[in-house]
Amino acid sequence: MNEPTALESLAELRTEIDRIDGEMHDLLIARGEIIDTLIAVKARQGGGSAFRPGREADMMRVIAARHRGRLPLDTVESIWRVIISTFTFVQSHYSVHADLSGGDAAMRDSARFHFGFTVPLLGHANPGETIAAVAGSARPDGGGDLGMLRAAWRLGDGRWWESLAAEGAPKIIARLPFVERPDHPASLPVFIISNPLAEAAARDVALFSAQWRSGGPDDSAFCASSCECLARVESPEGASLLVSAPGDWDAGKFAAAFNPPPQNVAWIGSHAERFALPSKGQ
């Protein structure tokens, strides 16, 4: 029996690739049809936010853990993020507002990696303008826009976390990138904010805005309480801190964890625990 020629084998492989491409497209069409039904069901039930950060985090954990083969996880993560963000946009149109005060290249890379090109991206001069734009987008059905703020704090950012403290103010709902690795193509750490979600928030990590009359606890005190100080601004009037804490903490539990307790403390959001890939040596 004659072995197939290289040309014949390549032709068969290309035919198989075409078949797989067609199936992937069919699956995207089928997903869109389910979204049509979802929109109708939500309309009958009175609407609600299309954002589901808790569900997104759970799905991303499964994808990252099961991935294998030659295709880079970066590509899989970005494709999945764009699919989710675009279908969310189809359900309820929204824009992403980004703080460009630190320069726009890294922020735009992060926005396009996580939200694609269908979702409009609007730049702002500082965190305060970004927060105000998200707050002004609130809709009666629970929808609205998203905002991107640098999680890696810079001195020029001021005390922006205090703007999230009021009850109806936007809140942090995610930290991206979700899959943690040093060579991530969209490695800029960002917080995603939205108008308050009534449900489906991810609550692995809680975030608080806290003010002390003095400088506040040091890093060892935060570490002993399973917390982390992410940002600190000191002035003659006292210190304003952005702090992460265990996800089941509320403002009362946060205040009770420190001596002296903060003068003011407010819960400003939460996000999923990031997924860390095992090192190559493990």
Side-chain angles (χ1 to χ4, degrees):
M1 181 176 180
N2 295 330
E3 292 293 326
T5 66
L7 183 60
E8 289 171 336
S9 298
L10 285 174
E12 291 171 357
L13 290 172
R14 286 166 180 155
T15 298
E16 182 68 3
I17 288 172
D18 290 344
R19 181 190 65 79
I20 293 171
D21 287 347
E23 289 185 0
M24 288 193 297
H25 190 197
D26 286 341
L27 288 172
L28 288 174
I29 293 171
R31 197 182 198 285
E33 292 169 349
I34 291 176
I35 295 298
D36 288 341
T37 304
L38 179 64
I39 292 171
V41 170
K42 281 189 173 183
R44 290 197 298 270
Q45 295 180 350
S49 174
F51 302 119
R52 293 291 184 272
R55 174 170 165 75
E56 290 181 17
D58 289 342
M59 293 170 70
M60 193 67 245
R61 286 190 187 98
V62 172
I63 290 170
R66 73 189 293 270
H67 183 64
R68 66 184 187 278
R70 185 178 295 273
L71 183 65
L73 178 59
D74 298 335
T75 304
V76 176
E77 181 184 7
S78 182
I79 289 172
W80 181 85
R81 281 289 324 174
V82 170
I83 288 173
I84 292 297
S85 298
T86 302
F87 276 115
T88 301
F89 178 81
V90 169
Q91 290 183 61
S92 180
H93 287 192
Y94 68 97
S95 297
V96 172
H97 301 267
D99 165 32
L100 302 182
S101 60
D104 68 353
M107 185 64 85
R108 289 184 185 276
D109 282 350
S110 179
R112 294 315 186 193
F113 183 93
H114 292 104
F115 296 99
F117 287 88
T118 300
V119 179
L121 175 63
L122 305 173
H124 298 277
N126 54 59
E129 289 185 9
T130 305
I131 294 168
V134 173
S137 73
R139 297 198 293 264
D141 65 355
D145 294 345
L146 299 181
M148 297 179 67
L149 303 170
R150 281 170 170 75
W153 177 78
R154 302 178 311 109
L155 185 60
D157 290 343
R159 307 152 73 113
W160 58 261
W161 49 90
E162 295 181 3
S163 300
L164 307 180
E167 183 176 352
K171 298 290 183 280
I172 294 169
I173 63 168
R175 185 205 183 277
L176 300 175
F178 177 72
V179 181
E180 192 83 349
R181 55 192 183 278
D183 57 347
H184 198 290
S187 59
L188 179 70
V190 296
F191 286 131
I192 304 301
I193 64 171
S194 81
N195 289 296
L197 299 178
E199 56 183 347
R203 299 188 181 273
D204 298 337
V205 179
L207 296 154
F208 294 91
S209 170
Q211 290 77 45
W212 274 267
R213 287 194 177 91
S214 61
D218 59 19
D219 287 344
S220 62
F222 283 119
C223 185
S225 299
S226 301
C227 298
E228 181 182 1
C229 180
L230 305 178
R232 182 192 302 259
V233 173
E234 298 195 29
S235 69
E237 293 75 31
S240 178
L241 283 69
L242 169 61
V243 183
S244 67
D248 60 350
W249 282 26
D250 59 15
K253 189 169 184 177
F254 180 93
F258 302 101
N259 186 22
Q263 180 184 7
N264 296 298
V265 59
W267 180 85
I268 59 170
S270 61
H271 63 76
E273 190 69 53
R274 287 162 284 165
F275 184 94
L277 288 177
S279 64
K280 293 183 179 179
Q282 294 181 336

